[in-house]
Structure formats: C-alpha cells, structure tokens
Amino acid sequence: MATAEKSKIEDNVVHIDPAAEAERDLTDGFHLVIDALKLNGIETIYGVPGIPITDLGRMCQAEGIRVISFRHEQNAGNAAAIAGFLTKKPGICLTVSAPGFLNGLTALANATTNCFPMILISGSSEREIVDLQQGDYEEMDQLAIAKPLCKAAFRVLHAADIGIGVARAIRAAVSGRPGGVYLDLPAKLFGQVMDAEAGAKSLVKVIDPAPAQIPAPAAVDRAIELLKGAERPLVILGKGAAYAQADDEIRAFIEKSGIPFLPMSMAKGLLPDTHPQSAGAARSTALKDADVVLLVGARLNWLLSHGKGKTWGDAPKKFIQVDIEPKEMDSNVEIAAPLVGDIGSVIAALNARLDGSWKTPPAQWTETIRTKKEANIAKMAPKLLKNSVPMDFHSALGALKNVIKERPDALLVNEGANTLDLARGIIDMYEPRKRLDVGTWGVMGIGMGFAIAAAVETGKKVLAVEGDSAFGFSGMEVETICRYNLPVTIVIFNNNGIYRGTDTDPTGRDPGTTVFVPGSRYDKMMEAFGGVGVNVTSPDELYRAVSAAMDSGKPTLINAEIDPAAGSESGNIGSLNPQSVVKKKK
C-alpha cells in the first residue's frame, strides 16, 4: 500500500519530501511477473538462467516458486511441456534472449503439435533497437519468429500490463485444444517501477481457463446410432484422452459398451494393457477389420496411416471422432459422426445413452480380437524370456516389462528408434499418464526433460528407457538429475550407433555415419556427477540393476550392452526413410 506523502506548501508550490518518496510502497516488473504467476497457481519453472532473466529466476525461488535450472533450454522446454500434459496447467519455461529463445522454441513447437499446454517466457532486446535493427545484444524480433510455431504469442511493454499478459498466455495455453504460447518480456520491463497498490490491482486471476464444451445432443444421438449398428466396433484412445483426466468416464464407457479398445502409446494405462477388452496386442487385426471406429483424443495422422491404405484393410469404415477442435474433423477421411466438445463432457454424454437397450458387440468380433491377441502374446513370449549375451532389444525389454509390472505407479519415459518402437508393444502400462514418449512428431531429445519434470511434478519414481542416439540429445541433463537428487533411473540401450552399430565408411576414412564409439560407458558419465552408474550385459543383470535402482530412488544410469547388429533401419518406420536405387557408374 502507498503511504501518505509528506509535503509542505510554500508560496503555493508543492514540494515532495524525498524521505516521503522513499517511504512509498513500490513494485517493479520482476515482482509483478512473479506475483502474476503465483496468483494463477504456478508452482514450478523450468529454465536456464542468463541475461536478462537471471535475477527473475533467483527472485522466483525466493518467493517460493520452485526453479529447476537446466543445462540447455530445449530440455527445459520439454520439461515444461510434459509438466503441462501431466497437470493440465501450463508448464513454464524461462529462457534468455535470442539463442536461448531459439533453443526453447523447438520444445514450444513440439508442445503445440502434441497439444501440451506450455508457456515459453523469454527475455528480449529493447524494441526501439530491434525495430531499427541497430545491433543490440542478442537482437532478434522474437515475437515474429515465435508466432508461426505456437498457438499464440504476446509481448508486454509496460509493467501495468504484466498481469493481463500472463493471464492471456495462461488462457490461450489451456483453453480449447491446448498448446504452446510465447510471452516476450523485454529487458527494460523488469526494472519498470510503479505504485505497489496499483500493481496489485493490475494482476488478473484467470477464471475458468478451460471451460467445458458440451457436445450437441443431435451429435451424441448420431454417434450412438452408428455404434449400435456396428458389427465390429473399435475405440481408439489417444493422448488427448489421457490429458483429459476423464479416467473414470472413459473406463465406464469401455466396460459398459463392451467395445474393444486400442490405446495409442501415451494413452496406454487409461485402462490396463492387460484388460480383457484391450486390442493392443491385436492392433493390425483390429484396424484392418473394424467397421465403426470411435476416435477419442486421437487424430488420423501418420501414426494411424491417415485412416487409409493397407493398415485399414478393405472393409468399409465409418469414423466417429471426439475432438474439441471442429477443424480437425474430415482432416484425412470423412467423419460420419463428429463429436465436438471436451472429452470428459462427450464421454459422459455417451455414457448417459448406454441404457438397457444397448447391446455389446457380437461375440464373433470380440473373440476374433481375443484369439489374435493371445496368439501374438504367445509368439512374443520366447523372445522376451531369452537370457542372451549380448542382449537384443526384445530380451532387454522383457526384463523391463517385469520391472514396470512390479511397480505400476512408476512413470516410463521412452525414446529412440527400435528402443521406442518395440517398447510400445512390449511394456504393459497399468495406470493413466504413466507412459511419456516422443509423441506426434517422433522427435528425439525429449528424454531427460520429460524424466525430470515427471519426477518433479508427481514425486514418483521414473524409468527412462533411451536409445543411445536419443540419449545424446539431452544426456548432459544427468547432471541436473544428480543436482536435484531426483528419483530417475536411466537405461541406455547401447548398440554402438543409430539404428545399428555396424555401418562402415566405404572409403575407409571415417566411422560410418550412424556409428558411435564402440563400447562406450555411459554409466561413467553418471558417476562423474555423483550418481550411480552400472554396466550390464544380460537381461538378468538388467532386471536386477533396474529393480535395485528404482527401489533406492537414487539417480542411476544403467548402460545396457545391446548386440550392435540388433535393430532395424529407422525402426518400424523404415518406409518413411527414402533410399536411392540408382547405382553410381564408376
């Protein structure tokens, strides 16, 4: 509150006593940013300190906001993005200007593509210098660069507008289809001073930032009638269904309807993968033979072959799609029954229509799924039980499958090529939002950022299963894991290279383009920062080492030696990697 100013009047001129001016309660841009974030429930910031936001990070920490400092902004941004997915509140990433902003921008674009609510807050150069291109320190028009790559972008120039700027960023990040938002804070803003009472009044607490969007009754009726007429219905659950946190409603719909369900990778665990209605182990059959497909928080993008082609077979398909974004409908194929609304409201409306007249799918269809699933599981079992040296991907993942089965509340972070593709199908998940992976873009480098945020936001133990190539994108963050003493266990599937470790340079001059240093000991890297490092060569050793690490909760890295010849080019998506068929004439 401002105190009364002491003044004296001499010859009708007002003179302000300097002591009175000093007694006024003032605030500044630093404090207003912090107060705006705290008012809206922001408890954690991920970032990298530096000009001009170093003191902002220090002051956030002093005011009770947890600040996790990373070694690279992209990893901090990935942490903020997955924090948004886990909490439904925007994850905050704080970066310096220009190069730091650009590093964070990759994570912001990835968050937008995956519909994770995130706000990238970056310090920036002064507008009057940037606009005249006069060469300021790290000069860059960051707002213009960010706009095409995120859901919304805002710049705040005056301290009195910080409250509304933060509020707009929060609402944009979480409303409708969630995504990434950029908030530009020029350096001069932080030092701007204003009256504390006026500053407090300028703050905005966002009310109902993500309001429910109820589906139209006619749309619900249309979808129910289509499902009633289906002979071979299928539900596909996407990561949007996991984000919605409508777990009880989704489980009730699946079990009441009796329809088989297929979870996309980050939706695994909404219902256990071992659930009798799960079609995960019969994915090909389910997609090929289904006649009516209900998409819940899943898009018909490349991960589902765009709803076309041999993946979907010759049987005619009708699609029902649940999405909060109307423009998503008919993006690849005709959607016979669009259901526009938030997932919780839509599934609740569908549940209300599952009355006594509802009939579960024909037994022939559910039996087909069950039989195929059991056959595939039985076929895979010997590969997972093999205690071979050196390990291959299947035998190593078989050991980790048992680790997660025994610790269903642990979070699994997963990235790589073969490491990712095979783990999706092998490691069963039992609880929602426990599997975190590369998502829609399939981008490498999310591993350590996701693992750190998963530990920070949930307080639970985390297992990060990494290909050796994928780990290289964010591996220095093992120091961050040790610094904050987080309960993260990292397993690196080390086969000496990208895809495989067997490539050669035909000229004999250099290593092959996909080959790393043979016999690398990543576990020594962890030991350098005070964590626990272990090297293993067999599935039994791997199981014991990971179990011990998870139980201890200590930062641990396990270097799992995998046969360099194991793995396939580009993993399961080799068809997307063009290769020349023309041989050069000598």
Side-chain angles (χ1 to χ4, degrees):
M1 293 288 182
T3 59
E5 295 177 353
K6 300 175 184 176
S7 63
K8 56 183 179 179
I9 301 178
E10 296 177 359
D11 301 326
N12 296 321
V13 176
V14 177
H15 298 278
I16 304 298
D17 187 333
E21 179 70 12
E23 289 178 12
R24 291 180 63 199
D25 283 341
L26 302 175
T27 190
D28 62 14
F30 284 110
H31 290 89
L32 289 168
V33 170
I34 295 167
D35 291 345
L37 294 173
K38 290 180 68 175
L39 181 64
N40 285 286
I42 300 302
E43 298 174 343
T44 306
I45 291 174
Y46 304 91
V48 176
I51 298 171
I53 50 84
T54 307
D55 272 0
L56 179 61
R58 291 184 178 125
M59 294 167 70
C60 283
Q61 192 175 57
E63 290 293 325
I65 296 176
R66 192 172 189 190
V67 180
I68 308 296
S69 292
F70 281 69
R71 304 300 293 266
H72 194 283
E73 292 90 353
Q74 185 172 322
N75 304 324
N78 285 327
I82 207 64
F85 172 77
L86 290 168
T87 66
K88 297 187 75 174
K89 297 191 300 184
I92 307 296
C93 177
L94 180 63
T95 81
V96 304
S97 50
F101 153 77
L102 290 173
N103 288 340
L105 196 57
T106 299
L108 185 70
N110 190 50
T112 302
T113 298
N114 281 283
C115 307
F116 298 154
M118 169 191 169
I119 302 174
L120 175 64
I121 301 176
S122 294
S124 64
S125 297
E126 307 311 333
R127 295 306 313 158
E128 62 270 24
I129 300 179
V130 172
D131 290 345
L132 283 173
Q133 299 179 24
Q134 294 179 318
D136 199 10
Y137 171 70
E138 296 188 345
E139 176 186 297
M140 179 178 287
D141 191 351
Q142 295 170 199
L143 188 76
I145 293 169
K147 277 183 177 180
L149 299 173
C150 59
K151 187 178 175 186
F154 306 102
R155 176 183 291 127
V156 182
L157 295 177
H158 304 290
D161 294 329
I162 288 173
I164 202 72
V166 170
R168 292 200 71 187
I170 290 172
R171 189 177 293 280
V174 299
S175 62
R177 172 175 281 179
V181 175
Y182 175 60
L183 187 60
D184 189 273
L185 304 181
K188 279 186 181 178
L189 177 72
F190 297 114
Q192 287 184 23
V193 174
M194 65 181 294
D195 180 81
E197 184 175 8
K201 289 180 179 178
S202 73
L203 301 180
V204 177
K205 182 175 176 58
V206 181
I207 306 301
D208 196 15
Q213 296 192 26
I214 312 299
V220 177
D221 292 343
R222 185 184 303 117
I224 286 291
E225 290 307 308
L226 197 54
L227 286 171
K228 282 183 175 180
E231 292 293 322
R232 300 178 302 281
L234 177 68
V235 176
I236 298 180
L237 301 172
K239 64 178 175 291
Y243 172 81
Q245 297 191 17
D247 308 339
D248 293 341
E249 289 284 3
I250 290 171
R251 176 185 277 269
F253 176 77
I254 295 293
E255 294 183 341
K256 285 182 182 178
S257 70
I259 299 174
F261 70 93
L262 178 65
M264 301 299 286
S265 62
M266 283 182 61
K268 286 165 65 72
L270 267 171
L271 289 89
D273 286 329
T274 53
H275 193 283
Q277 287 171 248
S278 173
R283 174 189 171 97
S284 297
T285 297
L287 294 178
K288 179 171 61 71
D289 293 343
D291 61 351
V292 174
V293 179
L294 169 60
L295 300 159
V296 182
R299 290 176 280 184
L300 285 173
N301 55 23
W302 71 276
L303 290 163
L304 285 169
S305 302
H306 308 285
K308 309 170 189 174
K310 64 180 182 180
T311 296
W312 292 91
D314 298 325
K317 300 282 190 293
K318 291 187 176 180
F319 290 96
I320 305 166
Q321 185 164 4
V322 180
D323 203 291
I324 204 165
E325 174 52 70
K327 295 195 298 291
E328 183 61 34
M329 307 302 173
D330 307 317
S331 59
N332 272 294
V333 298
E334 178 185 1
I335 302 300
L339 280 166
V340 178
D342 71 275
I343 287 171
S345 297
V346 171
I347 300 300
L350 291 174
N351 278 333
R353 294 294 310 277
L354 298 182
D355 52 26
S357 64
W358 179 264
K359 294 181 180 179
T360 56
Q364 183 179 359
W365 171 236
T366 55
E367 183 63 18
T368 296
I369 295 291
R370 186 190 66 80
T371 301
K372 186 64 176 177
K373 180 170 67 173
E374 291 179 353
N376 286 342
I377 291 172
K379 183 178 179 180
M380 179 69 71
K383 297 181 180 180
L384 306 184
L385 294 173
K386 187 170 57 174
N387 192 35
S388 57
V389 177
M391 292 181 279
D392 59 22
F393 288 97
H394 288 89
S395 60
L397 288 169
L400 300 183
K401 174 187 174 82
N402 291 329
V403 171
I404 292 296
K405 182 178 181 180
E406 294 163 2
R407 297 163 184 81
D409 65 337
L411 285 96
L412 174 67
V413 175
N414 188 205
E415 63 173 337
N418 296 279
T419 305
L420 171 75
D421 293 339
L422 294 170
R424 280 173 171 160
I426 290 172
I427 300 179
D428 290 329
M429 304 306 296
Y430 304 88
E431 296 180 8
R433 292 168 297 282
K434 293 297 170 65
R435 179 182 168 83
L436 311 174
D437 67 27
V438 300
T440 303
W441 265 355
V443 62
M444 295 296 102
I446 54 86
M448 297 302 97
F450 277 21
I452 289 167
V456 168
E457 299 293 342
T458 70
K460 296 186 179 296
K461 294 173 182 177
V462 179
L463 174 62
V465 182
E466 302 273 310
D468 51 355
S469 172
F471 176 74
F473 287 82
S474 63
M476 194 62 190
E477 302 300 345
V478 297
E479 187 274 334
T480 307
I481 291 168
C482 291
R483 187 176 0 128
Y484 291 94
N485 195 32
L486 298 174
V488 175
T489 298
I490 304 160
V491 176
I492 298 179
F493 280 15
N494 183 0
N495 68 341
N496 295 345
I498 301 171
Y499 311 137
R500 291 184 298 268
T502 56
D503 264 4
T504 58
D505 177 359
T507 70
R509 179 176 57 190
D510 292 320
T513 58
T514 62
V515 171
F516 298 149
V517 173
S520 296
R521 291 290 300 274
Y522 295 98
D523 51 307
K524 299 297 183 183
M525 181 178 175
M526 192 65 152
E527 290 176 354
F529 299 113
V532 178
V534 184
N535 188 70
V536 300
T537 59
S538 73
D540 284 351
E541 289 180 351
L542 178 60
Y543 170 78
R544 290 194 297 270
V546 176
S547 296
M550 297 289 283
D551 291 343
S552 75
K554 296 177 181 178
T556 304
L557 190 152
I558 298 165
N559 186 63
E561 295 184 19
I562 304 292
D563 184 350
S568 58
E569 182 82 11
S570 303
N572 286 348
I573 55 174
S575 61
L576 301 181
N577 196 8
Q579 296 185 351
S580 174
V581 296
V582 176
K583 294 188 181 294
K584 186 176 180 180
K585 294 181 180 179
K586 294 183 179 180

